[in-house]
């Protein structure tokens, strides 16, 4: 995946090199600008069994700051924020694949402009004829208290 | 053989005759005897569904998931351009202006409409409210919810957006919407049970053609639909997956 570009970033930023599960690396640029999740909306995406994005709704596109074309076909870690501990996502994949259950969690996501947004996310496997054909994630607006709790927890993980 | 048809109890009572006329049309189209059985109680209807009483159901998204996943029903059509959205409403003179203003101990007035209630409970989450720190009084109709709010007997009411918008102007002037869902992908669907699936393609085609004739159009109007749109099984599977993520 390409490095983030300075020209896309809005405001002061710092640089972090991320290393992903598949071994690839990418330079990300992060700011302190939070985009609040609007009331009443759901952010929806689907992936194939490997976590490659196959479908996003309009709210997803709006909140991420990317175009739809820039998202489809990319690994879902395109949204991974450096403040999110790897162990949180390890838990996600373990819950989905090994336990076959749905996963819930509070997630800080990275925007194309370097900013971030907090969501409460649920991910489930899409099972058709007893086979996992992909995953669906739906995110909704979390309470401030829950975000603060998650922030404190992720700092020490 | 007589087939049985039912409609989710959240249908607006002003379309009651519309559903009977629709059923007459359907019998003429299919040449089959179809009996329409309407319920005003979700629990009673669920029980009848569990006993496999129906062959054709216009179902809310919640029941659609049980029908598809457990009862082998097949979705065939949904009202075009209509999605189920919910709105949380307060009295016009209420001090509450945002979800975050809502207090612990909130008094909710709600119908038994499962989708609306689920969507509205989700919209309360940003205020850290859930079933454990709120109380809910159930009413049979949306008009009664409006009365509860106007009389100050409830702090918020959970409405189906379409029904809220159709309240009279006088009633609406005493209320204000606090927050409204924009989910866009949750909707009611018409489903065929196993006994009628041998007629699936004909029934589906007749529904899709409805909007092309003046008679069909006036029938659709009496249900407040503009047309039936085709639904593929995967569309409904997607909706069901989505509903699964929302259930706690
Ligand atoms: C349906 C689905 C949605 C996901 N959504 C996100 C997301 O919004 N943000 C995110 O950082 N990771 C998301 N993930 C997890 C990523 O696939 C990935 O595991 C995570 O970003 C950590 O990346 P890494 O383990 O490759 O370092 C999602 C996974 C699935 C299956």
């Amino acid at each position: 995946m390409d490095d983030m570009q300075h020209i896309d970033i809005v405001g002061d930023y710092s640089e972090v090199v991320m290393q992903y599960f598949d071994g690839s690396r990418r330079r990300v640029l992060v700011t302190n600008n939070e985009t609040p999740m609007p009331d009443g909306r759901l952010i929806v995406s689907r992936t194939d069994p490997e976590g490659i994005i196959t479908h996003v709704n309009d709210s997803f596109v709006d909140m991420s700051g990317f175009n739809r074309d820039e998202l489809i076909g990319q690994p879902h870690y395109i949204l991974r924020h450096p403040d999110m501990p790897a162990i949180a996502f390890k838990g996600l994949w373990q819950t989905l694949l090994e336990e076959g259950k749905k996963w819930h969690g509070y997630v800080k996501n990275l925007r194309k402009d370097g900013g971030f947004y907090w969501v409460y996310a649920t991910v489930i496997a899409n099972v058709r004829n007893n086979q996992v054909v992909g995953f669906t994630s739906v995110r909704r607006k979390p309470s401030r208290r829950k975000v603060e709790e998650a922030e404190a927890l992720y700092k020490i993980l | 053989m007589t087939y049985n048809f039912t409609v989710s109890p959240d249908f607006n009572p002003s379309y009651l005759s519309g559903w009977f006329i629709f059923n007459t049309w359907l019998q003429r189209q299919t040449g089959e005897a179809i009996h329409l059985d309407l319920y005003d109680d979700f629990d009673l209807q669920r029980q009848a569904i569990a006993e496999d009483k129906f062959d054709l159901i216009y179902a809310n998204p919640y029941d659609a998931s049980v029908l598809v996943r457990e009862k082998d029903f097949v979705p065939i059509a949904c009202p075009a351009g209509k999605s189920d959205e919910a709105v949380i409403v307060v009295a016009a003179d209420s001090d509450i202006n945002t979800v975050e203003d809502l207090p612990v101990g909130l008094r909710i007035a709600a119908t038994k409409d499962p989708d609306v209630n689920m969507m509205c409970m989700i919209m309360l989450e940003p205020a850290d409210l859930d079933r454990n720190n709120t109380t809910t009084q159930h009413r049979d109709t949306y008009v009664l919810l409006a009365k509860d709010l106007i009389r100050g007997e409830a702090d918020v009411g959970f409405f189906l957006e379409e029904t809220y918008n159709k309240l009279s102007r006088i009633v609406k002037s005493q209320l204000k919407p606090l927050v409204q869902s924009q989910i866009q992908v949750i909707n009611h669907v018409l489903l065929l049970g196993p006994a009628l699936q041998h007629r699936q393609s004909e029934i589906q085609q007749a529904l899709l053609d409805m909007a092309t004739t003046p008679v069909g159009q006036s029938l659709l109007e009496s249900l407040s639909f503009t047309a039936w749109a085709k639904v593929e099984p995967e569309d409904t599977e997607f909706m069901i997956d989505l509903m699964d993520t929302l259930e706690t």
Side-chain angles (χ1 to χ4, degrees):
Chain A
M1 193 178 294
D2 293 340
D3 286 339
M4 284 173 78
Q5 300 302 314
H6 304 278
I7 191 168
D8 292 327
I9 307 304
V10 180
D12 294 338
Y13 60 86
S14 52
E15 267 189 51
V16 184
V17 175
M18 304 273 285
Q19 169 132 26
Y20 301 108
F21 185 74
D22 60 10
S24 67
R25 285 160 167 267
R26 173 189 185 217
R27 179 190 66 192
V28 299
L29 308 174
V30 296
T31 73
N32 271 325
N33 301 332
E34 176 163 13
T35 302
M37 170 93 190
D39 279 304
R41 298 254 218 135
L42 296 178
I43 299 179
V44 182
S45 66
R46 300 171 90 182
T47 70
D48 69 9
E50 272 73 51
I52 306 295
I53 300 172
T54 54
H55 168 278
V56 291
N57 74 348
D58 291 342
S59 296
F60 189 110
V61 173
D62 292 347
M63 287 300 285
S64 73
F66 288 98
N67 297 325
R68 188 173 255 103
D69 297 349
E70 294 171 309
L71 293 163
I72 305 294
Q74 294 296 326
H76 222 308
Y77 61 62
I78 189 169
L79 300 185
R80 170 136 180 235
H81 196 281
D83 291 351
M84 282 302 293
I87 190 145
F89 295 112
K90 232 180 127 194
L92 176 154
W93 288 104
Q94 195 167 333
T95 308
L96 289 175
L97 297 177
E98 288 165 36
E99 298 164 29
K101 292 201 200 128
K102 68 178 156 186
W103 179 86
H104 301 275
Y106 294 88
V107 179
K108 184 177 188 175
N109 271 332
L110 180 62
R111 286 169 51 91
K112 183 181 180 179
D113 66 7
F116 65 90
Y117 56 98
W118 276 97
V119 295
Y120 175 62
T122 306
V123 187
I124 58 159
N126 308 132
V127 181
R128 308 283 185 268
N129 303 316
N130 297 319
Q131 242 181 321
V132 174
V133 297
F135 299 97
T136 297
S137 176
V138 178
R139 297 91 174 167
R140 50 216 223 211
K141 186 178 183 176
S143 77
R144 224 47 239 177
R145 184 174 63 84
K146 290 283 170 47
V147 168
E148 282 158 16
E149 282 174 16
E151 237 167 356
L153 177 67
Y154 293 162
K155 267 193 194 123
I156 56 171
L157 285 180
Chain B
M1 153 164 201
T2 301
Y3 295 101
N4 289 298
F5 174 30
T6 192
V7 173
S8 174
D10 54 9
F11 70 88
N12 189 318
S14 45
Y15 309 136
L16 184 100
S17 63
W19 283 109
F20 280 99
I21 301 168
F22 174 77
N23 188 48
T24 307
W25 173 87
L26 198 63
Q27 294 185 80
R28 210 164 291 153
Q29 292 290 316
T30 56
E32 305 279 6
I34 303 173
H35 172 71
L36 175 61
D37 203 0
L38 292 178
Y39 288 75
D40 54 16
D41 184 305
F42 284 94
D43 295 332
L44 282 180
Q45 189 186 59
R46 290 229 176 90
Q47 199 180 322
I49 289 173
E51 290 162 5
D52 299 325
K53 263 198 75 179
F54 302 110
D55 309 296
L56 188 68
I57 304 186
Y58 182 66
N60 64 64
Y62 204 87
D63 291 334
S65 86
V66 175
L67 292 164
V68 169
R69 297 259 161 108
E70 290 166 32
K71 295 280 181 190
D72 294 327
F73 274 64
V74 179
I76 56 169
C78 68
K82 228 183 208 194
S83 62
D84 291 7
E85 302 290 354
V87 50
I88 298 181
V89 176
V90 296
D93 57 7
S94 164
D95 301 335
I96 293 166
N97 291 305
T98 69
V99 171
E100 276 86 354
D101 293 340
L102 296 171
V104 163
L106 186 75
R107 295 169 307 156
I108 300 166
T111 65
K112 289 233 170 134
D113 190 336
D115 307 306
V116 169
N117 292 349
M118 181 184 75
M119 290 190 269
C120 288
M121 284 313 291
I122 287 173
M123 292 195 285
L124 291 182
E125 286 172 355
D128 278 317
L129 296 174
D130 56 36
R131 291 265 170 241
N132 298 318
N133 58 13
T134 58
T135 57
T136 302
Q137 56 203 48
H138 286 290
R139 299 286 183 218
D140 288 336
T141 67
Y142 284 109
V143 172
L144 292 175
L145 301 191
K147 281 195 183 143
D148 283 344
L149 293 174
I150 293 165
R151 291 198 195 116
E153 283 164 17
D155 304 314
V156 297
F158 289 177
F159 287 80
L160 183 67
E161 184 200 0
E162 190 188 358
T163 314
Y164 177 72
N165 290 337
K166 290 209 172 103
L167 291 174
S168 75
R169 206 179 309 155
I170 297 176
V171 172
K172 259 197 289 190
S173 71
Q174 300 173 74
L175 300 172
K176 67 180 174 190
L178 185 65
V179 52
Q180 175 168 343
S181 72
Q182 286 179 56
I183 299 177
Q184 290 157 355
V185 287
I186 294 183
N187 48 259
H188 281 54
V189 277
L190 187 66
L191 301 135
L192 286 187
L196 255 180
Q197 282 167 17
H198 63 290
R199 306 292 305 273
Q200 180 179 339
S201 53
E202 289 156 80
I203 296 175
Q204 195 168 36
Q205 198 54 52
L207 291 168
L208 299 181
D209 290 343
M210 248 178 128
T212 62
T213 66
V215 173
Q217 277 167 11
S218 76
L219 275 172
L220 287 164
E221 231 164 79
S222 64
L223 295 171
S224 88
F225 296 174
T226 53
W228 287 100
K230 189 170 181 175
V231 173
E232 300 288 353
E234 181 53 29
D235 301 333
T236 302
E237 291 285 353
F238 175 42
M239 180 178 84
I240 296 170
D241 281 338
L242 206 136
M243 298 284 295
D244 273 354
T245 70
L246 299 178
E247 266 169 52
T248 41

